[in-house]
Amino acid sequence: MYQAPAYEYVDDTHLKIKLKDNATFANGDPVTAEDVIYSFKRRLDGMLGDESLVEWIDYDNTTIESDTEFTIATYTAFPAGLYILASQTGGPVTQKKWAETATADDWYNNPLGSGPYTVVSNTDSVGTVLQLRDDYWNKDNLVTNAKQIEIKYYSSNNTMMLDYADGTLDMVIFADPSEYAKGSNGTYDDTVAELRKVNDGCRVFLVDTNEKFADINVRKAMSLALDTTAICDIVWGDLATPAESDFCSAMLYYESQGAHVYDPDEARKCMEEAGYSADNPLELYLIIDSAAESLQVSTILQQYWGECYIDLTVEQKDVTVLIEGILTGGFDFMVFPGSGVGMCYPYELISHYDQYGAPLEMMDNPEWLELRMNAISELDPDKAEQYYKEVQQFLVGRYYSIPIAEKSMVILHRSNIKSIRTQGDYESFSLRYIEM
């Protein structure tokens, strides 16, 4: 929260936050503690489609001490509670008195926030124009001198790249993989081409509560049977590299667990040790969403595992059925092909059966439970780093998680744009800042 210059731990579940005295909304009114808490609650009430805060923020024990100070209570102890607070409450801080009377049109065409830009125009399927505020309260810390930013939406890569080529666009995000080579070889004038990691990936997660995976030989075989380099090339091409951990490489506490080993002969030996054979295969059932990527990944898994005495049945279902399956254990294991649910984020360790963290909650291995608790409750950064490294070692080394791919996106931009920070995945994208 960039409006907050200071915070302190009151105890394990209470965090006191002091807002900057000069923070203002675009209408000139000050940002108050009441506005911040209201914005959290607004998300909690589902007005922004996010009900996950029910599990994290204890509003009954959250208090406002003054216009610029408040104490927020969480159900989960810090530092995990702070991590969850930061990740789950990300979103706009808006003014309470404005929001309570704002119409849908107000939110769409002239939303009120405290950031450096205001909306000039917002047109469906066309784009958005943002204008820098002359009275922005945090100008000394601005990382861009762009007075106006125009964001255009494209349904066709070809149309987007034609506009880039003729100078209509200064930057393109999520261009097709082939554009990276073009941007690098001089096809486009004055262009810098980047492959940017997006903290997104693909993994297979095997929960220990399923008796089919109780034998480590089965889990090991499922890992050894997969050629992750080939899978990356087939599904994502230049936009993915073989993953070496359950965490993405750009994440805090990441530690490589070494290159993935592909050895189908050893995989078959492991399956034979577990009592399986060509005549007696392990039968597994998986449901996936309707995304083409999910079907492609699952089909490849069928082929690789089919050569190692594993008979995988795959069914595509509506996303609501998929989520219900996650919550109830309605299938044997999980594949996360990406789109924001790839690798294991630290806050997944504290998940209360949320959509993406559920598999980690299903684990009941005593060693895992102790390790998980150590990781989420340790306040000392050095000790926390060690615990999270042990988390990765446990999940990958015991073959509960089989990391497959770590993804990237293609960005092309003019050379006068010096720095780009992005956050998002293949389904959603947010531009953090541009320096020009």
Side-chain angles (χ1 to χ4, degrees):
M1 188 185 303
Y2 57 81
Q3 298 98 333
Y7 66 89
E8 63 175 319
Y9 296 108
V10 178
D11 56 39
D12 285 349
T13 57
H14 291 79
L15 184 71
K16 188 171 185 177
I17 297 174
K18 178 176 173 58
L19 301 177
K20 292 181 178 178
D21 294 333
N22 64 334
T24 61
F25 292 107
N27 63 4
D29 291 344
V31 177
T32 68
E34 183 181 33
D35 295 321
V36 176
I37 297 301
Y38 171 81
S39 298
F40 289 172
K41 284 186 175 180
R42 184 173 180 276
R43 293 189 66 191
L44 170 64
D45 292 338
M47 297 176 73
L48 292 182
D50 186 346
E51 299 179 356
S52 62
L53 301 185
V54 173
E55 300 176 3
W56 309 124
I57 300 179
D58 179 2
Y59 284 100
D60 290 338
N61 291 298
T62 293
T63 59
I64 296 175
E65 286 78 43
S66 69
D67 283 347
T68 59
E69 293 186 15
F70 64 98
T71 301
I72 194 162
T74 66
Y75 290 115
T76 303
F78 297 120
L82 181 59
Y83 187 94
I84 294 168
L85 182 63
S87 61
Q88 298 291 315
T89 58
V93 173
T94 192
Q95 188 178 43
K96 179 182 177 183
K97 69 177 182 180
W98 177 86
E100 288 178 335
T101 59
T103 65
D105 185 68
D106 292 331
W107 279 104
Y108 189 78
N109 292 307
N110 193 27
L112 181 63
S114 60
Y117 289 88
T118 58
V119 175
V120 175
S121 64
N122 193 17
T123 308
D124 279 342
S125 302
V126 176
T128 301
V129 178
L130 305 175
Q131 183 72 35
L132 182 65
R133 287 172 52 184
D134 291 331
D135 64 342
Y136 182 52
W137 54 274
N138 201 23
K139 272 189 175 180
D140 291 343
N141 294 313
L142 275 175
V143 290
T144 173
N145 60 3
K147 300 297 184 183
Q148 190 172 87
I149 297 176
E150 182 178 1
I151 303 170
K152 300 189 72 173
Y153 307 133
Y154 291 86
S155 59
S156 164
N157 179 79
N158 290 337
T159 303
M160 179 174 69
M161 296 315 301
L162 286 173
D163 281 356
Y164 182 78
D166 69 16
T168 300
L169 300 175
D170 297 304
M171 176 172 62
V172 293
I173 309 292
F174 294 116
D176 282 356
S178 60
E179 302 297 347
Y180 177 71
K182 294 179 184 179
S184 302
N185 66 18
T187 299
Y188 302 110
D189 293 337
D190 186 29
T191 292
V192 177
E194 297 186 37
L195 280 178
R196 183 68 61 88
K197 293 289 180 67
V198 291
N199 270 4
D200 188 19
C202 174
R203 62 171 171 154
V204 173
F205 201 92
L206 310 173
V207 296
D208 66 350
T209 49
N210 188 332
E211 62 180 15
K212 294 180 180 180
F213 307 130
D215 190 334
I216 191 173
N217 283 304
V218 171
R219 304 195 304 270
K220 183 177 181 180
M222 293 178 71
S223 177
L224 292 172
L226 300 180
D227 185 344
T228 59
T229 299
I231 294 173
C232 287
D233 289 343
I234 294 169
V235 180
W236 300 285
D238 291 337
L239 295 185
T241 55
E244 296 186 1
S245 175
D246 201 68
F247 285 24
C248 288
S249 60
M251 288 174 55
L252 186 65
Y253 305 139
Y254 168 84
E255 182 180 66
S256 170
Q257 302 304 300
H260 179 82
V261 176
Y262 171 54
D263 190 338
D265 291 333
E266 184 64 24
R268 284 185 282 271
K269 290 180 182 178
C270 288
M271 290 298 290
E272 290 168 358
E273 289 184 26
Y276 297 98
S277 65
D279 296 327
N280 179 38
L282 171 65
E283 295 184 357
L284 297 178
Y285 173 61
L286 171 69
I287 59 174
I288 59 175
D289 61 26
S290 58
E293 182 182 17
S294 299
L295 180 59
Q296 188 177 17
V297 171
S298 300
T299 300
I300 293 173
L301 295 183
Q302 280 181 310
Q303 295 169 349
Y304 276 119
W305 285 335
E307 297 173 358
C308 299
Y309 315 144
I310 299 171
D311 184 5
L312 175 63
T313 299
V314 178
E315 287 190 57
Q316 284 189 298
K317 300 286 187 180
D318 180 80
V319 67
T320 56
V321 178
L322 177 65
I323 293 174
E324 181 180 354
I326 291 176
L327 299 179
T328 61
F331 43 84
D332 286 318
F333 69 100
M334 301 179 186
V335 176
F336 294 129
S339 301
V341 290
M343 300 305 199
C344 170
Y345 287 80
Y347 75 81
E348 274 192 347
L349 301 181
I350 319 104
S351 164
H352 289 221
Y353 281 99
D354 66 85
Q355 182 178 349
Y356 305 134
L360 296 182
E361 280 287 327
M362 295 177 185
M363 297 278 285
D364 66 0
N365 181 296
E367 185 179 350
W368 163 254
L369 295 176
E370 181 180 358
L371 179 57
R372 170 180 177 269
M373 185 54 62
N374 288 339
I376 67 176
S377 61
E378 181 56 60
L379 292 171
D380 181 273
D382 293 333
K383 291 182 180 179
E385 179 178 8
Q386 181 57 39
Y387 284 136
Y388 276 112
K389 287 181 178 180
E390 291 176 14
V391 163
Q392 295 166 81
Q393 293 165 8
F394 181 93
L395 292 175
V396 179
R398 306 285 183 88
Y399 305 102
Y400 288 115
S401 177
I402 306 173
I404 295 176
E406 187 172 354
K407 295 183 184 178
S408 299
M409 63 178 172
V410 175
I411 299 176
L412 302 184
H413 62 84
R414 307 302 178 189
S415 61
N416 67 322
I417 298 177
K418 302 301 182 184
S419 179
I420 301 169
R421 284 188 183 177
T422 57
Q423 175 177 310
D425 52 50
Y426 284 89
E427 303 300 328
S428 63
F429 165 76
S430 62
L431 185 66
R432 297 299 294 275
Y433 69 67
I434 309 172
E435 292 179 359
M436 303 181 67

